[in-house]
């Protein structure tokens, strides 16, 4: 019988040791549903638990999106904050929710020390919010959604021209909506719907749907609608 997990070899870019890490076979990646901010829910094994690879020798945690380069200054900070306090730990096993949380928090620390791109840090923060969502911990989910939103705004301001702007703008709208920052949510959804340069039909459709959902959220909470929403009555 085929197991859902298999091993890969990884070479640590900090200490150059080679170690094993687990991944989920593609045939076992079966999502049961998807949330409006792209969070996937899985029936059995959650592939997100295995996205982060942790070197058991030094504690460097990274994903496939990390850069391989280190500056001398980054190496010194990593040694001081992580490596010199690290005791040998092996994450090449079946991971629990708690393991996954620890892995993502270590990856976030590594990314911040290495000055990884804002989009890498935004993705880690968003994944942490999803982990807490899976546990039903809204307080922590809200906290990390707010951090992720700030990071996505930074991505838009610094490298937005090089990316799929529509998806990025949609995410900023949707995270604002989830955080009940409705005027900002409306602003981003409306930009996608009304910008004739945006050709991404999927994101335009999703933005229309979430614009309507935002309006329903505001009506349910008896909040004053912006003028453009009043015209839709």
């Amino acid at each position: 019988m085929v197991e859902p997990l298999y091993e890969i070899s990884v070479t640590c870019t900090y200490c150059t040791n080679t170690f094993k890490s687990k991944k989920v076979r593609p045939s076992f990646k079966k999502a049961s549903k998807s949330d409006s901010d792209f969070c996937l829910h899985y029936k059995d094994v959650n592939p997100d638990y295995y996205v982060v690879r942790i070197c058991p020798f030094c504690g460097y945690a990274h994903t496939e999106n990390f850069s391989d380069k280190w500056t001398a200054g980054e190496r010194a900070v990593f040694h001081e904050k992580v490596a010199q306090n690290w005791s040998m730990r092996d994450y090449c096993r079946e991971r629990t929710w708690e393991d996954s949380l620890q892995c993502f928090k270590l990856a976030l620390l590594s990314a911040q020390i290495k000055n990884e791109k804002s989009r890498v840090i935004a993705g880690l923060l968003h994944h942490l919010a999803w982990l807490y969502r899976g546990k039903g911990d809204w307080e922590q989910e809200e906290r990390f959604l707010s951090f992720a939103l700030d990071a996505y705004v930074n991505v838009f301001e610094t490298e937005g021209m090089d990316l799929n702007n529509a998806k990025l703008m949609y995410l900023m709208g949707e995270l604002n909506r989830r955080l009940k920052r409705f005027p900002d949510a409306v602003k981003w959804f409306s930009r996608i719907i009304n910008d004739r340069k945006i050709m991404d039909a999927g994101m335009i459709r999703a933005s229309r749907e979430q614009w309507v959902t935002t309006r329903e959220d505001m009506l349910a909470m008896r909040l004053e609608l912006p003028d453009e929403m009043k015209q839709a009555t």
Side-chain angles (χ1 to χ4, degrees), residues 90-120:
D90 189 2
Y91 283 90
C92 184
R93 59 172 190 267
E94 192 171 330
R95 291 180 184 172
T96 62
W97 181 88
E98 288 77 12
D99 289 335
S100 182
L101 185 71
Q102 184 73 15
C103 290
F104 271 105
K105 286 189 173 178
L106 276 167
L108 180 62
L109 177 60
S110 294
Q112 289 166 335
I113 290 170
K114 277 190 81 222
N115 296 301
E116 289 290 343
K117 288 186 174 178
S118 295
R119 63 175 168 230
V120 173

Side-chain angles (χ1 to χ4, degrees), residues 8-216:
I8 57 167
S9 280
V10 183
T11 300
C12 177
T13 59
Y14 175 78
C15 70
T16 70
N17 280 300
T18 299
F19 62 95
K20 301 285 188 190
S21 191
K22 298 263 190 204
K23 281 186 83 169
V24 176
R25 293 183 197 280
S27 57
F28 284 86
K29 294 180 181 178
K30 292 174 182 166
S32 54
K33 69 168 184 167
S34 173
D35 293 342
S36 50
D37 64 342
F38 311 123
C39 173
L40 296 173
H41 298 262
Y42 295 90
K43 294 177 199 163
D44 304 310
V45 186
N46 187 340
D48 285 355
Y49 283 14
Y50 303 92
V51 165
V52 176
R53 300 137 175 208
I54 298 187
C55 176
F57 303 99
C58 68
Y60 175 54
H62 70 287
T63 71
E64 289 178 352
N65 298 322
F66 277 49
S67 149
D68 290 340
K69 294 174 183 165
W70 290 81
T71 66
E74 289 162 3
R75 283 185 168 278
V77 174
F78 186 81
H79 175 77
E80 180 194 339
K81 292 198 171 178
V82 181
Q84 71 175 0
N85 306 309
W86 182 258
S87 54
M88 183 88 169
R89 257 170 282 170
D90 189 2
Y91 283 90
C92 184
R93 59 172 190 267
E94 192 171 330
R95 291 180 184 172
T96 62
W97 181 88
E98 288 77 12
D99 289 335
S100 182
L101 185 71
Q102 184 73 15
C103 290
F104 271 105
K105 286 189 173 178
L106 276 167
L108 180 62
L109 177 60
S110 294
Q112 289 166 335
I113 290 170
K114 277 190 81 222
N115 296 301
E116 289 290 343
K117 288 186 174 178
S118 295
R119 63 175 168 230
V120 173
I121 290 172
L124 294 170
L125 290 164
H126 203 171
H127 271 85
L128 279 160
W130 291 344
L131 277 175
Y132 283 113
R133 184 180 304 169
K135 272 285 187 208
D137 185 341
W138 167 244
E139 192 177 332
Q140 287 296 331
E141 180 191 343
E142 182 180 34
R143 184 168 159 250
F144 280 97
L145 282 178
S146 183
F147 292 151
L149 176 57
D150 289 343
Y152 281 129
V153 169
N154 193 39
V155 174
F156 186 78
E157 290 171 350
T158 56
E159 49 180 315
M161 300 309 291
D162 303 325
L163 301 170
N164 177 345
N165 256 358
K167 186 173 181 181
L168 185 57
M169 289 160 71
Y170 169 82
L171 269 176
M172 289 189 287
E174 179 57 16
L175 295 201
N176 272 303
R177 186 192 72 79
R178 286 174 175 267
L179 292 164
K180 298 181 171 55
R181 301 173 189 174
F182 298 124
D184 285 330
V186 172
K187 178 185 82 173
W188 288 111
F189 293 141
S190 296
R191 277 183 71 171
I192 297 165
I193 295 163
N194 297 319
D195 188 340
R196 295 189 179 279
K197 292 195 294 292
I198 292 175
M199 308 298 285
D200 187 330
M203 286 299 97
I204 294 168
R205 184 172 59 253
S207 297
R208 287 188 196 282
E209 289 168 1
Q210 295 312 97
W211 188 93
V212 172
T213 302
T214 305
R215 187 173 180 280
E216 289 167 353

